[in-house]
mmCIF file of all heavy atoms in Angstrom:
data_model
loop_
_atom_site.group_PDB
_atom_site.id
_atom_site.type_symbol
_atom_site.label_atom_id
_atom_site.label_comp_id
_atom_site.label_asym_id
_atom_site.label_seq_id
_atom_site.Cartn_x
_atom_site.Cartn_y
_atom_site.Cartn_z
ATOM 1 N N ALA A 1 1.082 -11.451 -2.530
ATOM 2 C CA ALA A 1 -0.106 -12.224 -2.266
ATOM 3 C C ALA A 1 -0.006 -13.694 -2.785
ATOM 4 O O ALA A 1 -0.438 -14.593 -2.075
ATOM 5 C CB ALA A 1 -1.324 -11.540 -2.979
ATOM 6 N N LYS A 2 0.789 -13.832 -3.842
ATOM 7 C CA LYS A 2 0.944 -15.253 -4.377
ATOM 8 C C LYS A 2 1.883 -16.007 -3.493
ATOM 9 O O LYS A 2 1.629 -17.214 -3.193
ATOM 10 C CB LYS A 2 1.531 -15.191 -5.795
ATOM 11 C CG LYS A 2 0.595 -14.820 -6.926
ATOM 12 C CD LYS A 2 1.215 -14.758 -8.272
ATOM 13 C CE LYS A 2 0.251 -14.401 -9.313
ATOM 14 N NZ LYS A 2 0.928 -14.295 -10.724
ATOM 15 N N LYS A 3 2.860 -15.356 -2.928
ATOM 16 C CA LYS A 3 3.849 -16.051 -2.070
ATOM 17 C C LYS A 3 3.256 -16.351 -0.661
ATOM 18 O O LYS A 3 3.743 -17.173 0.000
ATOM 19 C CB LYS A 3 5.073 -15.250 -1.916
ATOM 20 C CG LYS A 3 5.988 -15.170 -3.171
ATOM 21 C CD LYS A 3 7.236 -14.379 -2.886
ATOM 22 C CE LYS A 3 8.237 -14.324 -4.048
ATOM 23 N NZ LYS A 3 9.440 -13.550 -3.832
ATOM 24 N N HIS A 4 2.215 -15.557 -0.310
ATOM 25 C CA HIS A 4 1.642 -15.706 1.028
ATOM 26 C C HIS A 4 0.060 -15.892 0.865
ATOM 27 O O HIS A 4 -0.663 -14.968 1.165
ATOM 28 C CB HIS A 4 1.920 -14.470 1.820
ATOM 29 C CG HIS A 4 3.395 -14.198 2.015
ATOM 30 N ND1 HIS A 4 4.130 -14.731 3.049
ATOM 31 C CD2 HIS A 4 4.225 -13.392 1.300
ATOM 32 C CE1 HIS A 4 5.379 -14.366 2.939
ATOM 33 N NE2 HIS A 4 5.399 -13.554 1.906
ATOM 34 N N PRO A 5 -0.317 -17.056 0.370
ATOM 35 C CA PRO A 5 -1.749 -17.271 0.077
ATOM 36 C C PRO A 5 -2.703 -17.135 1.259
ATOM 37 O O PRO A 5 -3.871 -16.903 1.067
ATOM 38 C CB PRO A 5 -1.777 -18.685 -0.499
ATOM 39 C CG PRO A 5 -0.558 -19.384 0.056
ATOM 40 C CD PRO A 5 0.510 -18.318 0.142
ATOM 41 N N LYS A 6 -2.127 -17.248 2.477
ATOM 42 C CA LYS A 6 -3.064 -17.020 3.698
ATOM 43 C C LYS A 6 -3.092 -15.573 4.132
ATOM 44 O O LYS A 6 -3.839 -15.277 5.053
ATOM 45 C CB LYS A 6 -2.490 -17.965 4.804
ATOM 46 C CG LYS A 6 -2.643 -19.421 4.552
ATOM 47 C CD LYS A 6 -2.192 -20.244 5.678
ATOM 48 C CE LYS A 6 -2.360 -21.773 5.403
ATOM 49 N NZ LYS A 6 -1.884 -22.585 6.556
ATOM 50 N N ALA A 7 -2.327 -14.778 3.544
ATOM 51 C CA ALA A 7 -2.314 -13.329 4.004
ATOM 52 C C ALA A 7 -3.603 -12.636 3.599
ATOM 53 O O ALA A 7 -4.202 -12.930 2.594
ATOM 54 C CB ALA A 7 -1.113 -12.611 3.360
ATOM 55 N N LYS A 8 -4.017 -11.678 4.403
ATOM 56 C CA LYS A 8 -5.217 -10.871 4.192
ATOM 57 C C LYS A 8 -4.889 -9.427 3.940
ATOM 58 O O LYS A 8 -5.829 -8.724 3.574
ATOM 59 C CB LYS A 8 -6.133 -11.012 5.422
ATOM 60 C CG LYS A 8 -6.522 -12.436 5.745
ATOM 61 C CD LYS A 8 -7.408 -12.373 7.029
ATOM 62 C CE LYS A 8 -7.753 -13.804 7.478
ATOM 63 N NZ LYS A 8 -8.605 -13.794 8.753
ATOM 64 N N GLY A 9 -3.647 -9.033 4.020
ATOM 65 C CA GLY A 9 -3.325 -7.612 3.907
ATOM 66 C C GLY A 9 -1.811 -7.380 3.783
ATOM 67 O O GLY A 9 -1.027 -8.362 4.009
ATOM 68 N N ILE A 10 -1.456 -6.244 3.374
ATOM 69 C CA ILE A 10 -0.043 -5.802 3.281
ATOM 70 C C ILE A 10 0.157 -4.367 3.883
ATOM 71 O O ILE A 10 -0.679 -3.512 3.667
ATOM 72 C CB ILE A 10 0.322 -5.740 1.785
ATOM 73 C CG1 ILE A 10 0.204 -7.138 1.154
ATOM 74 C CG2 ILE A 10 1.737 -5.246 1.614
ATOM 75 C CD1 ILE A 10 0.369 -7.147 -0.387
ATOM 76 N N VAL A 11 1.170 -4.257 4.684
ATOM 77 C CA VAL A 11 1.605 -2.978 5.101
ATOM 78 C C VAL A 11 2.674 -2.455 4.185
ATOM 79 O O VAL A 11 3.732 -3.030 4.006
ATOM 80 C CB VAL A 11 2.194 -2.960 6.501
ATOM 81 C CG1 VAL A 11 2.772 -1.677 6.925
ATOM 82 C CG2 VAL A 11 1.166 -3.375 7.585
ATOM 83 N N MET A 12 2.335 -1.340 3.532
ATOM 84 C CA MET A 12 3.188 -0.682 2.511
ATOM 85 C C MET A 12 4.107 0.299 3.347
ATOM 86 O O MET A 12 3.574 1.224 3.890
ATOM 87 C CB MET A 12 2.454 0.008 1.434
ATOM 88 C CG MET A 12 1.649 -1.088 0.610
ATOM 89 S SD MET A 12 0.684 -0.227 -0.730
ATOM 90 C CE MET A 12 -0.590 0.382 0.225
ATOM 91 N N GLY A 13 5.390 0.047 3.381
ATOM 92 C CA GLY A 13 6.294 0.957 4.136
ATOM 93 C C GLY A 13 6.093 2.409 3.853
ATOM 94 O O GLY A 13 6.083 2.858 2.738
ATOM 95 N N GLN A 14 5.937 3.177 4.990
ATOM 96 C CA GLN A 14 5.773 4.587 4.937
ATOM 97 C C GLN A 14 4.587 5.034 4.095
ATOM 98 O O GLN A 14 4.591 6.173 3.614
ATOM 99 C CB GLN A 14 7.085 5.251 4.512
ATOM 100 C CG GLN A 14 8.182 5.005 5.553
ATOM 101 C CD GLN A 14 9.530 5.570 5.082
ATOM 102 O OE1 GLN A 14 10.104 5.035 4.152
ATOM 103 N NE2 GLN A 14 9.972 6.627 5.750
ATOM 104 N N HIS A 15 3.631 4.181 3.961
ATOM 105 C CA HIS A 15 2.477 4.613 3.067
ATOM 106 C C HIS A 15 1.144 4.281 3.740
ATOM 107 O O HIS A 15 0.377 5.090 4.043
ATOM 108 C CB HIS A 15 2.631 3.851 1.808
ATOM 109 C CG HIS A 15 1.594 4.287 0.742
ATOM 110 N ND1 HIS A 15 1.659 3.830 -0.549
ATOM 111 C CD2 HIS A 15 0.405 5.060 0.847
ATOM 112 C CE1 HIS A 15 0.612 4.338 -1.217
ATOM 113 N NE2 HIS A 15 -0.146 5.056 -0.360
ATOM 114 N N GLY A 16 0.872 2.946 3.997
ATOM 115 C CA GLY A 16 -0.458 2.646 4.488
ATOM 116 C C GLY A 16 -0.779 1.181 4.518
ATOM 117 O O GLY A 16 0.140 0.290 4.449
ATOM 118 N N LEU A 17 -2.029 0.817 4.555
ATOM 119 C CA LEU A 17 -2.574 -0.504 4.621
ATOM 120 C C LEU A 17 -3.424 -0.871 3.427
ATOM 121 O O LEU A 17 -4.168 -0.025 2.978
ATOM 122 C CB LEU A 17 -3.356 -0.644 5.932
ATOM 123 C CG LEU A 17 -4.141 -2.018 6.211
ATOM 124 C CD1 LEU A 17 -3.168 -3.121 6.369
ATOM 125 C CD2 LEU A 17 -5.111 -1.775 7.348
ATOM 126 N N ILE A 18 -3.264 -2.057 2.935
ATOM 127 C CA ILE A 18 -4.208 -2.584 1.961
ATOM 128 C C ILE A 18 -4.596 -3.988 2.315
ATOM 129 O O ILE A 18 -3.709 -4.769 2.699
ATOM 130 C CB ILE A 18 -3.531 -2.489 0.475
ATOM 131 C CG1 ILE A 18 -4.638 -2.727 -0.553
ATOM 132 C CG2 ILE A 18 -2.372 -3.414 0.282
ATOM 133 C CD1 ILE A 18 -4.182 -2.217 -1.960
ATOM 134 N N ASN A 19 -5.852 -4.346 2.197
ATOM 135 C CA ASN A 19 -6.329 -5.626 2.604
ATOM 136 C C ASN A 19 -7.488 -5.997 1.735
ATOM 137 O O ASN A 19 -8.112 -5.131 1.052
ATOM 138 C CB ASN A 19 -6.705 -5.710 4.051
ATOM 139 C CG ASN A 19 -7.671 -4.564 4.526
ATOM 140 O OD1 ASN A 19 -7.178 -3.562 5.018
ATOM 141 N ND2 ASN A 19 -8.943 -4.798 4.335
ATOM 142 N N TRP A 20 -7.857 -7.320 1.682
ATOM 143 C CA TRP A 20 -8.866 -7.776 0.750
ATOM 144 C C TRP A 20 -9.676 -8.967 1.366
ATOM 145 O O TRP A 20 -9.239 -9.596 2.307
ATOM 146 C CB TRP A 20 -8.162 -8.222 -0.543
ATOM 147 C CG TRP A 20 -7.087 -9.269 -0.308
ATOM 148 C CD1 TRP A 20 -7.232 -10.649 -0.369
ATOM 149 C CD2 TRP A 20 -5.707 -9.021 -0.102
ATOM 150 N NE1 TRP A 20 -6.018 -11.275 -0.115
ATOM 151 C CE2 TRP A 20 -5.026 -10.300 0.057
ATOM 152 C CE3 TRP A 20 -4.920 -7.865 0.120
ATOM 153 C CZ2 TRP A 20 -3.682 -10.477 0.302
ATOM 154 C CZ3 TRP A 20 -3.548 -8.060 0.322
ATOM 155 C CH2 TRP A 20 -2.959 -9.321 0.474
ATOM 156 N N ALA A 21 -10.802 -9.147 0.735
ATOM 157 C CA ALA A 21 -11.754 -10.236 1.092
ATOM 158 C C ALA A 21 -12.641 -10.443 -0.111
ATOM 159 O O ALA A 21 -12.796 -9.572 -0.932
ATOM 160 C CB ALA A 21 -12.481 -9.896 2.365
ATOM 161 N N ASP A 22 -13.393 -11.530 -0.066
ATOM 162 C CA ASP A 22 -14.387 -11.869 -1.142
ATOM 163 C C ASP A 22 -15.731 -11.387 -0.835
ATOM 164 O O ASP A 22 -16.701 -11.626 -1.658
ATOM 165 C CB ASP A 22 -14.326 -13.331 -1.438
ATOM 166 C CG ASP A 22 -13.110 -13.749 -2.238
ATOM 167 O OD1 ASP A 22 -12.507 -12.900 -2.956
ATOM 168 O OD2 ASP A 22 -12.536 -14.868 -2.050
ATOM 169 N N ASP A 23 -15.923 -10.743 0.310
ATOM 170 C CA ASP A 23 -17.271 -10.269 0.715
ATOM 171 C C ASP A 23 -17.073 -8.808 1.151
ATOM 172 O O ASP A 23 -16.060 -8.467 1.892
ATOM 173 C CB ASP A 23 -17.844 -11.102 1.866
ATOM 174 C CG ASP A 23 -19.128 -10.493 2.366
ATOM 175 O OD1 ASP A 23 -20.189 -10.703 1.702
ATOM 176 O OD2 ASP A 23 -19.101 -9.763 3.468
ATOM 177 N N ASP A 24 -17.957 -7.911 0.733
ATOM 178 C CA ASP A 24 -17.714 -6.493 1.081
ATOM 179 C C ASP A 24 -17.802 -6.172 2.580
ATOM 180 O O ASP A 24 -16.984 -5.442 3.169
ATOM 181 C CB ASP A 24 -18.632 -5.631 0.309
ATOM 182 C CG ASP A 24 -20.111 -5.909 0.452
ATOM 183 O OD1 ASP A 24 -20.461 -6.825 1.156
ATOM 184 O OD2 ASP A 24 -20.943 -5.186 -0.218
ATOM 185 N N LYS A 25 -18.750 -6.763 3.298
ATOM 186 C CA LYS A 25 -18.834 -6.529 4.735
ATOM 187 C C LYS A 25 -17.629 -7.130 5.440
ATOM 188 O O LYS A 25 -17.020 -6.520 6.280
ATOM 189 C CB LYS A 25 -20.132 -7.137 5.263
ATOM 190 C CG LYS A 25 -20.266 -6.952 6.780
ATOM 191 C CD LYS A 25 -21.542 -7.575 7.306
ATOM 192 C CE LYS A 25 -21.644 -7.434 8.808
ATOM 193 N NZ LYS A 25 -22.803 -8.076 9.315
ATOM 194 N N ALA A 26 -17.207 -8.299 4.961
ATOM 195 C CA ALA A 26 -16.084 -8.953 5.549
ATOM 196 C C ALA A 26 -14.776 -8.077 5.321
ATOM 197 O O ALA A 26 -13.882 -7.980 6.185
ATOM 198 C CB ALA A 26 -15.821 -10.308 4.993
ATOM 199 N N CYS A 27 -14.655 -7.443 4.162
ATOM 200 C CA CYS A 27 -13.569 -6.569 3.818
ATOM 201 C C CYS A 27 -13.547 -5.367 4.766
ATOM 202 O O CYS A 27 -12.505 -4.987 5.312
ATOM 203 C CB CYS A 27 -13.570 -6.144 2.407
ATOM 204 S SG CYS A 27 -12.075 -5.440 1.800
ATOM 205 N N TYR A 28 -14.747 -4.753 4.996
ATOM 206 C CA TYR A 28 -14.819 -3.634 5.920
ATOM 207 C C TYR A 28 -14.382 -4.021 7.286
ATOM 208 O O TYR A 28 -13.618 -3.362 7.906
ATOM 209 C CB TYR A 28 -16.299 -3.124 5.827
ATOM 210 C CG TYR A 28 -16.599 -2.090 6.859
ATOM 211 C CD1 TYR A 28 -16.233 -0.741 6.749
ATOM 212 C CD2 TYR A 28 -17.284 -2.455 8.096
ATOM 213 C CE1 TYR A 28 -16.448 0.154 7.694
ATOM 214 C CE2 TYR A 28 -17.580 -1.478 9.023
ATOM 215 C CZ TYR A 28 -17.158 -0.164 8.872
ATOM 216 O OH TYR A 28 -17.465 0.737 9.801
ATOM 217 N N GLU A 29 -14.979 -5.161 7.782
ATOM 218 C CA GLU A 29 -14.580 -5.558 9.100
ATOM 219 C C GLU A 29 -13.085 -5.920 9.265
ATOM 220 O O GLU A 29 -12.483 -5.702 10.280
ATOM 221 C CB GLU A 29 -15.476 -6.758 9.514
ATOM 222 C CG GLU A 29 -16.915 -6.312 9.681
ATOM 223 C CD GLU A 29 -17.839 -7.465 10.097
ATOM 224 O OE1 GLU A 29 -17.464 -8.639 9.960
ATOM 225 O OE2 GLU A 29 -18.952 -7.170 10.664
ATOM 226 N N LEU A 30 -12.581 -6.487 8.126
ATOM 227 C CA LEU A 30 -11.147 -6.803 8.192
ATOM 228 C C LEU A 30 -10.326 -5.474 8.361
ATOM 229 O O LEU A 30 -9.294 -5.477 9.079
ATOM 230 C CB LEU A 30 -10.737 -7.565 6.916
ATOM 231 C CG LEU A 30 -9.259 -7.897 6.775
ATOM 232 C CD1 LEU A 30 -8.712 -8.826 7.891
ATOM 233 C CD2 LEU A 30 -8.975 -8.584 5.404
ATOM 234 N N SER A 31 -10.671 -4.491 7.576
ATOM 235 C CA SER A 31 -9.935 -3.284 7.691
ATOM 236 C C SER A 31 -9.993 -2.775 9.110
ATOM 237 O O SER A 31 -8.975 -2.318 9.678
ATOM 238 C CB SER A 31 -10.631 -2.152 6.814
ATOM 239 O OG SER A 31 -10.515 -2.489 5.364
ATOM 240 N N LEU A 32 -11.129 -2.788 9.745
ATOM 241 C CA LEU A 32 -11.263 -2.307 11.161
ATOM 242 C C LEU A 32 -10.464 -3.202 12.103
ATOM 243 O O LEU A 32 -9.699 -2.744 12.965
ATOM 244 C CB LEU A 32 -12.733 -2.304 11.594
ATOM 245 C CG LEU A 32 -13.428 -0.931 11.366
ATOM 246 C CD1 LEU A 32 -13.413 -0.488 9.951
ATOM 247 C CD2 LEU A 32 -14.870 -1.094 11.873
ATOM 248 N N ASP A 33 -10.480 -4.532 11.817
ATOM 249 C CA ASP A 33 -9.739 -5.488 12.687
ATOM 250 C C ASP A 33 -8.256 -5.183 12.651
ATOM 251 O O ASP A 33 -7.552 -5.170 13.730
ATOM 252 C CB ASP A 33 -9.938 -6.897 12.275
ATOM 253 C CG ASP A 33 -11.389 -7.387 12.581
ATOM 254 O OD1 ASP A 33 -12.078 -6.747 13.465
ATOM 255 O OD2 ASP A 33 -11.803 -8.447 11.988
ATOM 256 N N LEU A 34 -7.770 -4.992 11.426
ATOM 257 C CA LEU A 34 -6.290 -4.809 11.278
ATOM 258 C C LEU A 34 -5.900 -3.472 11.888
ATOM 259 O O LEU A 34 -4.783 -3.352 12.456
ATOM 260 C CB LEU A 34 -5.850 -4.910 9.798
ATOM 261 C CG LEU A 34 -6.211 -6.167 9.108
ATOM 262 C CD1 LEU A 34 -5.777 -6.120 7.648
ATOM 263 C CD2 LEU A 34 -5.410 -7.361 9.827
ATOM 264 N N ILE A 35 -6.616 -2.428 11.664
ATOM 265 C CA ILE A 35 -6.299 -1.138 12.283
ATOM 266 C C ILE A 35 -6.375 -1.184 13.819
ATOM 267 O O ILE A 35 -5.562 -0.669 14.516
ATOM 268 C CB ILE A 35 -7.278 -0.044 11.721
ATOM 269 C CG1 ILE A 35 -7.126 0.050 10.239
ATOM 270 C CG2 ILE A 35 -6.998 1.383 12.419
ATOM 271 C CD1 ILE A 35 -8.210 0.859 9.507
ATOM 272 N N GLU A 36 -7.349 -1.857 14.272
ATOM 273 C CA GLU A 36 -7.527 -2.043 15.777
ATOM 274 C C GLU A 36 -6.343 -2.715 16.389
ATOM 275 O O GLU A 36 -5.843 -2.314 17.433
ATOM 276 C CB GLU A 36 -8.843 -2.804 16.055
ATOM 277 C CG GLU A 36 -9.142 -2.943 17.513
ATOM 278 C CD GLU A 36 -9.785 -1.738 18.135
ATOM 279 O OE1 GLU A 36 -9.998 -0.710 17.482
ATOM 280 O OE2 GLU A 36 -9.964 -1.803 19.398
ATOM 281 N N LYS A 37 -5.813 -3.751 15.704
ATOM 282 C CA LYS A 37 -4.704 -4.491 16.244
ATOM 283 C C LYS A 37 -3.414 -3.561 16.345
ATOM 284 O O LYS A 37 -2.759 -3.540 17.400
ATOM 285 C CB LYS A 37 -4.307 -5.614 15.346
ATOM 286 C CG LYS A 37 -5.160 -6.812 15.501
ATOM 287 C CD LYS A 37 -4.647 -8.006 14.715
ATOM 288 C CE LYS A 37 -5.576 -9.310 14.975
ATOM 289 N NZ LYS A 37 -5.029 -10.498 14.244
ATOM 290 N N ALA A 38 -3.216 -2.740 15.349
ATOM 291 C CA ALA A 38 -2.063 -1.849 15.404
ATOM 292 C C ALA A 38 -2.302 -0.784 16.428
ATOM 293 O O ALA A 38 -1.354 -0.421 17.178
ATOM 294 C CB ALA A 38 -1.831 -1.188 14.043
ATOM 295 N N ALA A 39 -3.477 -0.203 16.527
ATOM 296 C CA ALA A 39 -3.724 0.838 17.448
ATOM 297 C C ALA A 39 -3.661 0.317 18.884
ATOM 298 O O ALA A 39 -3.117 1.034 19.792
ATOM 299 C CB ALA A 39 -5.169 1.387 17.210
ATOM 300 N N GLU A 40 -4.133 -0.912 19.172
ATOM 301 C CA GLU A 40 -4.041 -1.464 20.465
ATOM 302 C C GLU A 40 -2.619 -1.754 20.834
ATOM 303 O O GLU A 40 -2.204 -1.549 22.056
ATOM 304 C CB GLU A 40 -4.882 -2.722 20.570
ATOM 305 C CG GLU A 40 -5.082 -3.320 21.954
ATOM 306 C CD GLU A 40 -5.690 -2.358 22.923
ATOM 307 O OE1 GLU A 40 -6.542 -1.603 22.502
ATOM 308 O OE2 GLU A 40 -5.325 -2.452 24.204
ATOM 309 N N TYR A 41 -1.820 -2.187 19.838
ATOM 310 C CA TYR A 41 -0.404 -2.419 20.152
ATOM 311 C C TYR A 41 0.268 -1.216 20.605
ATOM 312 O O TYR A 41 1.119 -1.142 21.550
ATOM 313 C CB TYR A 41 0.243 -2.999 18.890
ATOM 314 C CG TYR A 41 1.720 -3.333 18.992
ATOM 315 C CD1 TYR A 41 2.100 -4.670 19.371
ATOM 316 C CD2 TYR A 41 2.682 -2.447 18.647
ATOM 317 C CE1 TYR A 41 3.478 -4.991 19.550
ATOM 318 C CE2 TYR A 41 4.050 -2.790 18.717
ATOM 319 C CZ TYR A 41 4.451 -4.098 19.188
ATOM 320 O OH TYR A 41 5.733 -4.322 19.277
ATOM 321 N N ILE A 42 -0.040 -0.076 19.927
ATOM 322 C CA ILE A 42 0.533 1.188 20.261
ATOM 323 C C ILE A 42 0.058 1.758 21.597
ATOM 324 O O ILE A 42 0.841 2.164 22.406
ATOM 325 C CB ILE A 42 0.255 2.233 19.143
ATOM 326 C CG1 ILE A 42 1.015 1.833 17.831
ATOM 327 C CG2 ILE A 42 0.658 3.651 19.561
ATOM 328 C CD1 ILE A 42 0.571 2.613 16.598
ATOM 329 N N ALA A 43 -1.272 1.585 21.848
ATOM 330 C CA ALA A 43 -1.832 2.060 23.045
ATOM 331 C C ALA A 43 -1.209 1.439 24.267
ATOM 332 O O ALA A 43 -1.028 2.065 25.296
ATOM 333 C CB ALA A 43 -3.295 1.891 23.054
ATOM 334 N N GLN A 44 -0.861 0.156 24.136
ATOM 335 C CA GLN A 44 -0.250 -0.597 25.323
ATOM 336 C C GLN A 44 1.089 -0.074 25.601
ATOM 337 O O GLN A 44 1.669 -0.318 26.722
ATOM 338 C CB GLN A 44 -0.252 -2.066 24.999
ATOM 339 C CG GLN A 44 -1.634 -2.719 25.061
ATOM 340 C CD GLN A 44 -1.585 -4.199 24.480
ATOM 341 O OE1 GLN A 44 -0.456 -4.709 24.183
ATOM 342 N NE2 GLN A 44 -2.700 -4.757 24.417
ATOM 343 N N ARG A 45 1.715 0.702 24.647
ATOM 344 C CA ARG A 45 3.079 1.194 24.857
ATOM 345 C C ARG A 45 3.135 2.733 24.909
ATOM 346 O O ARG A 45 4.171 3.294 24.877
ATOM 347 C CB ARG A 45 3.959 0.678 23.659
ATOM 348 C CG ARG A 45 4.170 -0.863 23.811
ATOM 349 C CD ARG A 45 4.559 -1.467 22.468
ATOM 350 N NE ARG A 45 4.750 -2.878 22.576
ATOM 351 C CZ ARG A 45 3.715 -3.824 22.708
ATOM 352 N NH1 ARG A 45 2.453 -3.355 22.576
ATOM 353 N NH2 ARG A 45 4.033 -5.081 22.757
#
């Protein structure tokens, strides 16, 4: 997170997703946004 100050999340290899925000609703929506992006990428293939 320090090396990538603009990052909003991290994919942990063979484990899962972790993401953060300074507002709880924004954090919830960010979780959904990031999952949706991966799911849509897979769906297209």
Side-chain angles (χ1 to χ4, degrees):
K2 285 179 180 178
K3 288 183 178 179
H4 303 273
K6 293 182 180 180
K8 300 177 182 178
I10 297 170
V11 170
M12 295 178 284
Q14 295 175 289
H15 185 171
L17 172 69
I18 193 163
N19 51 267
W20 56 90
D22 286 329
D23 174 79
D24 55 0
K25 180 182 177 183
C27 191
Y28 171 78
E29 292 181 341
L30 176 61
S31 294
L32 269 57
D33 289 343
L34 298 179
I35 297 166
E36 181 79 4
K37 281 187 178 182
E40 187 60 33
Y41 182 89
I42 292 168
Q44 290 171 1
R45 293 156 179 79

